C-alpha cells in the first residue's frame, strides 16, 4: 500500500491532550503557547477573522476549545468561564420560552436549581425522571420537548446509566441529548460515540486538574457550538486568557492523571469495602455497584470519585472530615489532591433530608475526590480519621 492509500493515523488521547492537532512545526515556534492578554485585536472588517474582542474569545481560549473538540470527537467545542456558564448557555441555546426539557433526577445541585427554579422564570419547564427507566423518558415526552439531559457518572451518587436507548428515543423525536460528563473527563467516557449530541464539562475539575482555575466547556455540532458562543457573547461568561492557559497546561497531563485517579480510587474503594465503620461504598468499578456492568462496557476507566456512607451518620462524617491530615475537606473535585465533601452541606444543601435520601444521599454520605498522591498515604490517613467515627 502506498503512503497515499494508507488511512490517516489518528493520534491517541494523550497526544491530543498535549498537542491538540498534530501539524507541521515552524521555526521559532514556542513549545508552550504564550498567554495573550490583549483585550482587543486588530479587526477592521469581518474578513479579519474570529479574533476581535476578548469577550468574544481569545487565542488561549480558542486553543483549548479545539483540544476539547478533538478529545471528545465532536465537530467543535467552546471553552467558557465556568461549568455552570457552559450548562446555562447550552440550555439557553437549545430551549426557548414555551419549550420543555426532560432531565435525569440525578444532577449537580446548581444544575438542578437552574432547571427547577430559574429556567421556568424564562418559560422553560423541566420534568425530572428516574433515568434508568426508558419508560420514564417516554412518559415525560411532550410535543414541545427539546432536550434530554443526563449527568454521567452522576454527582454525588456515582450512578452510570446506558445513554444509548435514551439517545435513540430522543433522536426519533428530533430531541437533542446533552450530558454533563465532568466526573468522567474525556479520558474515561466519550459520550459522542455513545450517541450523545452535546457534552458539557466543568473544566474546573479533571480537565484543569489542579484546583487553580474555574472554567467550562461545551462540545457538539458546529451549529450548536456557534449558538452557545453567540449567547456567551451576549451573557458574557468568557474564559480569560490566564485561566485558559492554565487549563491548557493542566490538560497536557490529563491522560496520566486520570489513569492514576482510576487506580487510586479503585484501591481506596476496595479498602473502604472492608471497613466496618462504612455501611456502603459506592464506586462504579466495584462489582457490588448497580451499574458496574454498563460502566465497564462504556467507560475506559471507572474514575477518581468514590462515595461512602458512614455507619455513624452525619456526626461521624463531620468528625471524619475534621481529622484528615493528607486529604482536605473542600467542595470541589478532579484535582491532583484528595478532597472530601458532604453533599448535605454543599451541592445538595438546598434539598430536605427526605429529598436527598431519594437520590441515595443518606445521612453520613461522604463524597471523595481521590487525588494522585501515593495511595498508601491516603489509606493511612483515612484509617486514622475513621478512628474518630
Ligand atoms: C457535575 C458538575 N457539573 C457542573 C459543575 C459546575 O461547574 P463550575 O463550578 O465550574 O461552574 C460542577 C461543580 O461542582 C459539577 O460537579
Amino acid at each position: 500500500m502506498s503512503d497515499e492509500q494508507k488511512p490517516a493515523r489518528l493520534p491517541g488521547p494523550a497526544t491530543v491532550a498535549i498537542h491538540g492537532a498534530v501539524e507541521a512545526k515552524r521555526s521559532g515556534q514556542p513549545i508552550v503557547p504564550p498567554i495573550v492578554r490583549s483585550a482587543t485585536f486588530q479587526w477592521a472588517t469581518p474578513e479579519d477573522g474570529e479574533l476581535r474582542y476578548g469577550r468574544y474569545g481569545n487565542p488561549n481560549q480558542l486553543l483549548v476549545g479545539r483540544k476539547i473538540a478533538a478529545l471528545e470527537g465532536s465537530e467543535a467545542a467552546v471553552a467558557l468561564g465556568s461549568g455552570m456558564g457552559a450548562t446555562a448557555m447550552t440550555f439557553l441555546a437549545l430551549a426557548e420560552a414555551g419549550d420543555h426539557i426532560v432531565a435525569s433526577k440525578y444532577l449537580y445541585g446548581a444544575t438542578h436549581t437552574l432547571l427547577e427554579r430559574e429556567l421556568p422564570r424564562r418559560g422553560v419547564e423541566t420534568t425530572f425522571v428516574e433515568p434508568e427507566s426508558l419508560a420514564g423518558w417516554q412518559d415525560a415526552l411532550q410535543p414541545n420537548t427539546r432536550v434530554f439531559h443526563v449527568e454521567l457518572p452522576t454527582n454525588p451518587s456515582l450512578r452510570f446509566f446506558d445513554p444509548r436507548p435514551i439517545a435513540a428515543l430522543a433522536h426519533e423525536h428530533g430531541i437533542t441529548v446533552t450530558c454533563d460528563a465532568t466526573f468522567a473527563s474525556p479520558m474515561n467516557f466519550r459520550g459522542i460515540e455513545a450517541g450523545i449530541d452535546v457534552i458539557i464539562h466543568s473544566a474546573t475539575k479533571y480537565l484543569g486538574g489542579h484546583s487553580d482555575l474555574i472554567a467550562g466547556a461545551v462540545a457538539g455540532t458546529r451549529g450548536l457550538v456557534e449558538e452557545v458562543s453567540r449567547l456567551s457573547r451576549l451573557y458574557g461568561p468568557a474564559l480569560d486568557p490566564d485561566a485558559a492557559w492554565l487549563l491548557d497546561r493542566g490538560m497536557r497531563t490529563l491522560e496520566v492523571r486520570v489513569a492514576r485517579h482510576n487506580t487510586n480510587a479503585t484501591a481506596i474503594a476496595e479498602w473502604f469495602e472492608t471497613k466496618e465503620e462504612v455501611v456502603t461504598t459506592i464506586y462504579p468499578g466495584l462489582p457490588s455497584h448497580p451499574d458496574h456492568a454498563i460502566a465497564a462496557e462504556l467507560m475506559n476507566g471507572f474514575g477518581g470519585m468514590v462515595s461512602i456512607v458512614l455507619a455513624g451518620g452525619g456526626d461521624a462524617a463531620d468528625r471524619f472530615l475534621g481529622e484528615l491530615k493528607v486529604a482536605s475537606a473542600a467542595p470541589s473535585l478532579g484535582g491532583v489532591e484528595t478532597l472530601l465533601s458532604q453533599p448535605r452541606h454543599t451541592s445538595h444543601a438546598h434539598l430536605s433530608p427526605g429529598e436527598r435520601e431519594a437520590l441515595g444521599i443518606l445521612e453520613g454520605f461522604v463524597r471523595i475526590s481521590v487525588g494522585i498522591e501515593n495511595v498508601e498515604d491516603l489509606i493511612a490517613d483515612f484509617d486514622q480519621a475513621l478512628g474518630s467515627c
Side-chain angles (χ1 to χ4, degrees):
M1 200 189 270
S2 75
D3 278 357
E4 274 154 39
Q5 288 171 316
K6 278 189 196 156
R9 232 191 115 264
L10 291 174
T15 309
V16 172
I18 295 166
H19 296 285
V22 175
E23 37 191 41
K25 313 286 182 211
R26 56 184 165 74
S27 302
Q29 177 182 340
I31 301 305
V32 174
I35 305 177
V36 181
R37 290 210 178 88
S38 187
T40 188
F41 300 87
Q42 173 68 32
W43 194 96
T45 67
E47 281 72 54
D48 281 332
E50 55 187 342
L51 285 173
R52 175 170 166 183
Y53 177 58
R55 198 180 73 246
Y56 287 37
N58 62 69
N60 300 94
Q61 177 247 3
L62 291 172
L63 185 149
V64 285
R66 286 194 294 272
K67 256 191 194 182
I68 291 168
L71 285 172
E72 292 291 357
S74 62
E75 271 177 30
V78 59
L80 298 175
S82 71
M84 281 314 296
T87 304
M89 293 307 109
T90 300
F91 292 149
L92 291 181
L94 291 170
E96 56 188 39
D99 286 345
H100 175 245
I101 294 175
V102 185
S104 158
K105 69 177 194 178
Y106 298 99
L107 294 178
Y108 169 59
T111 305
H112 190 269
T113 305
L114 179 70
L115 290 168
E116 189 192 39
R117 307 212 189 132
E118 191 56 31
L119 288 186
R121 300 190 333 117
R122 326 257 163 230
V124 177
E125 297 292 336
T126 295
T127 305
F128 295 95
V129 295
E130 172 61 56
E132 219 167 358
S133 143
L134 191 61
W137 294 91
Q138 178 90 57
D139 291 349
L141 263 180
Q142 297 178 12
N144 56 345
T145 305
R146 299 284 171 262
V147 180
F148 277 3
H149 180 69
V150 293
E151 207 170 275
L152 291 174
T154 63
N155 177 8
S157 50
L158 307 179
R159 300 293 312 265
F160 192 95
F161 305 100
D162 190 348
R164 294 169 298 187
I166 301 169
L169 174 66
H171 295 156
E172 262 172 46
H173 296 270
I175 292 166
T176 303
V177 184
T178 58
C179 172
D180 181 332
T182 297
F183 271 38
S185 93
M187 291 301 165
N188 279 338
F189 177 56
R190 289 184 22 121
I192 304 274
E193 286 169 2
I196 292 162
D197 302 298
V198 183
I199 299 290
I200 300 167
H201 284 286
S202 167
T204 312
K205 313 299 184 330
Y206 289 102
L207 288 169
H210 295 74
S211 305
D212 55 5
L213 63 91
I214 300 286
V218 182
T221 61
R222 198 166 305 287
L224 180 273
V225 169
E226 271 168 18
E227 183 59 4
V228 166
S229 305
R230 185 187 74 79
L231 289 170
S232 63
R233 290 198 285 271
L234 288 174
Y235 285 83
L239 179 63
D240 80 88
D242 290 78
W245 186 90
L246 272 178
L247 177 54
D248 176 54
R249 148 87 156 249
M251 283 174 63
R252 288 161 181 252
T253 54
L254 182 65
E255 203 244 15
V256 285
R257 280 188 290 106
V258 169
R260 173 77 164 227
H261 286 294
N262 291 341
T263 54
N264 274 6
T266 302
I268 283 169
E270 286 170 353
W271 179 81
F272 273 124
E273 264 206 327
T274 67
K275 305 307 287 181
E276 63 185 20
E277 297 88 343
V278 178
V279 279
T280 316
T281 302
I282 306 163
Y283 184 62
L286 292 176
S288 58
H289 189 283
D291 310 318
H292 177 63
I294 189 68
E297 186 184 340
L298 292 184
M299 296 184 82
N300 301 317
F302 296 109
M305 301 301 296
V306 176
S307 292
I308 56 170
V309 182
L310 289 168
D315 291 345
D318 288 343
R319 287 197 299 277
F320 181 62
L321 265 63
E323 289 298 320
L324 295 167
K325 303 209 163 39
V326 177
S328 306
S332 191
L333 64 116
V336 292
E337 62 289 298
T338 297
L339 299 180
L340 284 81
S341 64
Q342 294 187 66
R344 71 187 176 117
H345 292 325
T346 57
S347 57
H348 293 72
H350 62 292
L351 300 179
S352 69
E355 287 170 321
R356 281 197 291 269
E357 210 171 311
L359 297 172
I361 308 170
L362 307 172
E363 276 298 298
F365 190 105
V366 176
R367 188 189 79 175
I368 307 169
S369 170
V370 178
I372 64 170
E373 299 95 337
N374 292 106
V375 74
E376 305 77 30
D377 296 327
L378 294 173
I379 289 178
D381 194 28
F382 293 143
D383 203 26
Q384 64 79 25
L386 273 187
S388 69
C389 302

